[in-house]
Amino acid sequence: MKAKYITIIDIARQLNISKSTVSRALTGHPNVNEQTRKAVLELAASQEYQRNSLALGFSRHKTHTVGILVPEFMSTYFPSVIVGAQTVLQEAGYNVVICQQNESYETEVANIKLLLSYRVDGIIVSHTKETRNFDHFTLAQRIGIPLVFFNRIPEDMNVPGVVVNDYEAAFQAVEHLIKIGRKCIAHLAGPESLVNSRLRRQGYIDALKKYNIPYNPDLVLSYDLTMEKVKIYMKHFLDLATPPDALFAINDPTAIAAMEVVKAAGLRIPEDIAIVGFSNDFSAELVYPGLTTMAQPTSDIGRTAANMLLQEMHAKVMNDYSIKKAPTVTLPTKLIIRDSTVKKEQPSLVKKRKGRI
Amino acid sequence: MKAKYITIIDIARQLNISKSTVSRALTGHPNVNEQTRKAVLELAASQEYQRNSLALGFSRHKTHTVGILVPEFMSTYFPSVIVGAQTVLQEAGYNVVICQQNESYETEVANIKLLLSYRVDGIIVSHTKETRNFDHFTLAQRIGIPLVFFNRIPEDMNVPGVVVNDYEAAFQAVEHLIKIGRKCIAHLAGPESLVNSRLRRQGYIDALKKYNIPYNPDLVLSYDLTMEKVKIYMKHFLDLATPPDALFAINDPTAIAAMEVVKAAGLRIPEDIAIVGFSNDFSAELVYPGLTTMAQPTSDIGRTAANMLLQEMHAKVMNDYSIKKAPTVTLPTKLIIRDSTVKKEQPSLVKKRKGRI
DNA sequence: CTGTTAGCGCATTCAC
DNA sequence: GTGAATGCGCTAACAG
């Protein structure tokens, strides 16, 4: 079972010309007789010639393809960033391939090597929560493949990246909870391995400090982002002698899972517990009650990362980040207040419909 | 700015052996002295040799890579199918690259050609809603690249595919609405270009027929799946002289967008209008009220498609679907009943929390 | 304007 | 157990 592809040699033979001429005609090289070009293009079309990018990339050392690596895409965050990045890259004439890690470190390493072995021209990446060893990334750097990180950036690597103001955003989220009168604020934090988890956690701590609310470590749990854990940890919070009256969750899926637990326990949101998430996933608006959250400009993040990568790839001389500070762009977040912290109205207060029942 | 990769020639030179030996050592060929092999492997590791898959695929005509093409991934449906497929393919030793079309026909054609030009060994695909010309797919077939479709299958092509029982599922969904006493059931249908849209629509019509409910074409609107349209069409339904008391939506995002309109109009769900979606997206469970929907076994769909593709790729002789019927697997759906059709309880009826307010 | 040649990195003959 | 030679499809440098 072998695929049969037409090659420029096939075309050359049929036209009794050399493969170079075919190549020139096909690539739009100026020095080619119009009639010859026409003949070549017609034959190529009729025979469904498909350029062999393998051979091309192989001989040119350029593939015009970039890879995007994401740890997962079950929330809307990563897909949405990808769409933003892809738009920019396609406009710039690059092909885009996406690899998805399932939050597995091994898959991440394999995928980076896959992309390297396919000689992509650049990589946009957000690492998995398991990733503690970054050798596969420094490898890419050493080889000279431009890398741009977003969202999750390895902290001991000097790499270009796009982030949001995690610290300030968390601070602001907690400040919001304090301003609506909450005093006992729990935090379901992400894994310590993720820089943004730690930043958000610090924002939480410092907001408490600013308002003279004692920081109680028992109210902070770092977890591995698997939804089953949320149930356990949230129950734990509710079972405390003085349970929290508010929760700041590391992200929206966490917040939403926590809401389930709270509702199942017969408590009211936001009256008994106010909840704030992070990212403004698609679901944040849908869940009941609507989830207050720090919105991330996902599409912008993707576009920015793509533009940074383009710059890296087009640089005359490879940027050497072992001797030079890598650029980092920080994009703003925005607090979206919904019913999970400030109730606007009873959703079931409805006017009678017209017409038949 | 040129990436510098180590090649087997570099290694051969340093070890004063031939590149053939290096190649053999690297690929685990038996006929190689243990010491030589060890030396090669060590040097390769220390110099961070990265096999050039371009060269390899180029010379071997096999890339051990499969592509997955999806029209979009803003709902959880496609990502979830991808994860299922990827799991199976990785276990079978294949690399997986994903391409996303943004529902654009041009991007789809470009991406298919991209994958062909990279000589992937097989492709799993769901076409865009815009796709009416399937030449790019038949091209892949003619070249001999196995193709497996899922969800959206071109109807005039004989290709292997994985679908769900769209007709029966729609029938069942509408039957459910009828059984809870609805008599005036609207249907927000998908584009006519999609086979599953038409099947679901027919299921809707036939369910009405079975229960002797007259089919009213005014209650059916086909639309292009852009969420803005839902608002317009749903308002139109509500403004009818006798507005519907139920809605069957082509998919969950449509149902959820419709719910917004209904709620904004001050109507109650399900009392005034009962709503059923399709697919059981992540959001179906979260939205308020919970959305009744026909669940699709997304992960299974992905795994099944992957397994079918593996069979195609491993076939000794390429299956010629111009002379032979292509296999189609139909997976079952399951009706998930939630509050959008049958209300179980008031969610805000809560017991008093213990402890402090 | 066009043909010839070389070379990209690798596995795989065929020799020895 | 190892080396030399070949070819995969293409572009580019060099001749003409």
Side-chain angles (χ1 to χ4, degrees):
Chain A
M1 197 212 69
K2 188 159 143 248
K4 46 179 200 301
Y5 285 95
I6 297 289
T7 75
I8 54 170
I9 299 188
D10 297 326
I11 297 181
R13 247 195 300 261
Q14 293 178 61
L15 257 37
N16 259 320
I17 56 180
S18 80
K19 60 179 182 156
S20 318
T21 306
V22 176
S23 168
R24 280 189 278 257
L26 251 22
T27 51
H29 192 94
N31 277 356
V32 117
N33 181 301
E34 258 325 301
Q35 300 205 356
T36 320
R37 181 192 307 281
K38 193 151 163 276
V40 169
L41 292 181
E42 270 172 10
L43 193 61
S46 76
Q47 309 235 329
E48 298 177 321
Y49 166 77
Q50 300 300 313
R51 138 194 281 166
N52 185 336
S53 293
L54 246 32
L56 181 55
F58 172 50
S59 106
R60 298 282 297 280
H61 298 281
K62 277 271 159 272
T63 55
H64 262 73
T65 302
V66 319
I68 303 183
L69 251 68
V70 295
E72 46 99 0
F73 47 35
M74 291 315 289
S75 74
T76 54
Y77 175 84
F78 287 109
S80 168
V81 172
I82 290 172
V83 170
Q86 181 166 321
T87 309
V88 170
L89 291 167
Q90 282 183 341
E91 266 173 26
Y94 283 87
N95 304 307
V96 174
V97 300
I98 301 153
C99 294
Q100 189 265 130
Q101 271 55 265
N102 268 332
E103 291 283 16
S104 148
Y105 168 73
E106 282 75 29
T107 304
E108 177 173 286
V109 174
N111 277 340
I112 279 280
K113 300 217 166 162
L114 172 67
L115 294 182
L116 291 182
S117 81
Y118 276 107
R119 303 302 193 250
V120 295
D121 293 347
I123 300 177
I124 293 178
V125 58
S126 191
H127 66 77
T128 78
K129 67 186 183 196
E130 288 184 349
T131 311
R132 280 168 187 78
N133 177 325
F134 298 94
D135 290 350
H136 48 305
F137 296 130
T138 56
L139 167 63
Q141 280 193 311
R142 279 193 299 277
I143 286 173
I145 302 304
L147 232 51
V148 172
F149 282 79
F150 70 97
N151 183 281
R152 303 176 180 180
I153 300 195
E155 99 192 295
D156 32 309
M157 264 180 84
N158 182 30
V159 281
V162 182
V163 290
V164 293
N165 54 345
D166 288 290
Y167 172 85
E168 289 81 7
F171 190 100
Q172 203 182 334
V174 174
E175 192 167 43
H176 167 65
L177 288 169
I178 295 171
K179 284 192 172 160
I180 60 169
R182 307 300 161 133
K183 299 207 152 31
C184 184
I185 302 169
H187 178 37
L188 267 176
E192 287 296 305
S193 57
L194 301 179
V195 176
N196 56 5
S197 284
R198 297 206 300 275
L199 286 171
R200 291 178 201 176
R201 181 194 175 126
Q202 196 56 49
Y204 158 85
I205 293 177
D206 290 357
L208 294 183
K209 194 176 297 172
K210 174 172 172 192
Y211 290 91
N212 294 314
I213 298 178
Y215 164 54
N216 176 359
D218 293 346
L219 287 177
V220 177
L221 288 173
S222 288
Y223 89 112
D224 62 2
L225 303 179
T226 58
M227 289 303 125
E228 310 84 56
K229 296 280 177 61
V230 176
K231 199 175 261 183
I232 301 171
Y233 290 162
M234 198 57 207
K235 271 200 185 122
H236 167 77
F237 280 147
L238 298 181
D239 286 343
L240 288 177
T242 49
D245 56 12
L247 171 73
F248 169 47
I250 181 73
N251 61 22
D252 286 350
T254 303
I256 289 169
M259 285 172 74
E260 295 300 316
V261 178
V262 171
K263 287 195 273 188
L267 298 174
R268 295 164 304 168
I269 303 170
E271 292 86 343
D272 298 322
I273 299 196
I275 298 186
V276 178
F278 206 106
S279 291
N280 198 25
D281 281 3
F282 182 56
S283 355
E285 193 176 353
L286 302 176
V287 73
Y288 175 78
L291 178 63
T292 295
T293 187
M294 295 302 306
Q296 293 201 52
T298 47
S299 180
D300 249 0
I301 292 172
R303 286 199 299 270
T304 307
N307 281 319
M308 288 174 75
L309 187 67
L310 287 173
Q311 274 203 307
E312 298 282 326
M313 294 190 301
H314 295 164
K316 287 274 172 295
V317 179
M318 173 81 186
N319 290 311
D320 183 354
Y321 294 124
S322 61
I323 55 171
K324 170 174 162 185
K325 178 88 189 70
T328 304
V329 174
T330 304
L331 295 175
T333 49
K334 186 162 176 293
L335 178 66
I336 311 279
I337 299 175
R338 296 203 181 91
D339 289 357
S340 74
T341 57
V342 180
K343 209 160 192 172
K344 273 170 248 97
E345 47 170 333
Q346 269 298 43
S348 34
L349 273 187
V350 290
K351 56 178 193 240
K352 190 74 188 71
R353 71 174 297 185
K354 64 174 182 176
R356 180 177 39 62
I357 307 174
Chain B
M1 201 212 63
K2 187 158 145 254
K4 50 178 197 304
Y5 284 95
I6 297 290
T7 75
I8 55 170
I9 299 187
D10 297 325
I11 297 182
R13 246 195 300 262
Q14 293 177 63
L15 256 36
N16 258 319
I17 56 179
S18 78
K19 58 177 185 156
S20 318
T21 307
V22 176
S23 169
R24 279 189 278 256
L26 252 22
T27 50
H29 191 96
N31 276 357
V32 104
N33 180 300
E34 257 326 300
Q35 299 206 355
T36 319
R37 182 193 306 280
K38 195 154 162 273
V40 169
L41 292 181
E42 270 172 11
L43 193 61
S46 76
Q47 309 235 329
E48 299 177 320
Y49 166 77
Q50 300 300 314
R51 138 192 278 162
N52 185 336
S53 294
L54 246 34
L56 183 53
F58 169 51
S59 100
R60 300 288 299 283
H61 299 282
K62 276 270 160 277
T63 55
H64 263 72
T65 302
V66 320
I68 303 182
L69 252 69
V70 295
E72 46 99 0
F73 46 35
M74 291 316 289
S75 73
T76 54
Y77 176 82
F78 288 109
S80 167
V81 172
I82 291 173
V83 170
Q86 181 165 322
T87 308
V88 170
L89 292 167
Q90 282 183 341
E91 264 174 28
Y94 283 87
N95 303 307
V96 174
V97 300
I98 302 153
C99 294
Q100 189 266 128
Q101 276 45 275
N102 268 332
E103 290 282 18
S104 149
Y105 168 73
E106 283 74 27
T107 304
E108 178 172 286
V109 174
N111 277 339
I112 279 282
K113 301 217 165 163
L114 171 67
L115 293 182
L116 290 182
S117 79
Y118 275 107
R119 303 303 193 248
V120 294
D121 294 345
I123 300 177
I124 293 178
V125 58
S126 190
H127 66 77
T128 78
K129 68 186 184 197
E130 288 185 348
T131 310
R132 280 169 186 76
N133 177 326
F134 298 94
D135 289 350
H136 49 305
F137 296 130
T138 56
L139 167 62
Q141 281 193 311
R142 278 193 299 278
I143 286 174
I145 301 303
L147 232 50
V148 172
F149 283 78
F150 70 97
N151 182 285
R152 303 178 180 179
I153 300 196
E155 99 192 298
D156 31 308
M157 264 180 85
N158 182 31
V159 280
V162 181
V163 291
V164 294
N165 54 345
D166 287 290
Y167 172 84
E168 290 81 7
F171 190 100
Q172 204 181 334
V174 174
E175 194 167 41
H176 168 66
L177 287 170
I178 295 171
K179 285 190 172 161
I180 60 168
R182 307 301 161 132
K183 300 207 151 30
C184 184
I185 302 170
H187 178 35
L188 267 177
E192 288 297 306
S193 57
L194 301 180
V195 176
N196 55 6
S197 284
R198 297 205 300 276
L199 286 172
R200 291 178 200 175
R201 180 192 175 128
Q202 196 56 48
Y204 158 86
I205 293 177
D206 289 358
L208 294 182
K209 192 174 298 171
K210 174 173 174 193
Y211 290 92
N212 294 313
I213 297 178
Y215 164 53
N216 177 358
D218 292 347
L219 287 179
V220 177
L221 288 173
S222 287
Y223 89 112
D224 62 3
L225 304 181
T226 58
M227 289 303 124
E228 311 82 62
K229 295 279 177 58
V230 177
K231 199 176 261 183
I232 301 171
Y233 290 162
M234 198 59 208
K235 272 204 185 118
H236 166 78
F237 281 147
L238 297 182
D239 287 343
L240 289 176
T242 48
D245 57 11
L247 170 74
F248 169 47
I250 180 74
N251 61 22
D252 286 350
T254 302
I256 289 170
M259 283 172 75
E260 295 300 316
V261 177
V262 171
K263 288 195 273 186
L267 300 173
R268 294 164 305 167
I269 304 169
E271 291 86 344
D272 298 321
I273 298 196
I275 298 186
V276 178
F278 206 106
S279 290
N280 197 26
D281 281 3
F282 183 57
S283 357
E285 195 177 351
L286 303 176
V287 72
Y288 177 78
L291 178 64
T292 295
T293 187
M294 296 303 305
Q296 294 202 50
T298 46
S299 179
D300 249 1
I301 293 172
R303 285 198 299 271
T304 307
N307 281 319
M308 288 174 76
L309 187 67
L310 287 173
Q311 274 204 308
E312 298 283 326
M313 294 190 300
H314 295 162
K316 287 275 171 293
V317 180
M318 174 81 188
N319 288 311
D320 183 353
Y321 293 125
S322 62
I323 55 171
K324 169 174 161 185
K325 177 89 189 68
T328 303
V329 174
T330 303
L331 295 176
T333 49
K334 187 163 177 291
L335 178 65
I336 310 278
I337 299 176
R338 296 202 181 92
D339 289 357
S340 74
T341 58
V342 180
K343 209 160 192 170
K344 273 169 247 103
E345 47 168 333
Q346 270 297 44
S348 34
L349 271 187
V350 290
K351 58 177 191 244
K352 191 72 189 71
R353 71 175 299 187
K354 64 175 179 170
R356 180 179 39 62
I357 307 171

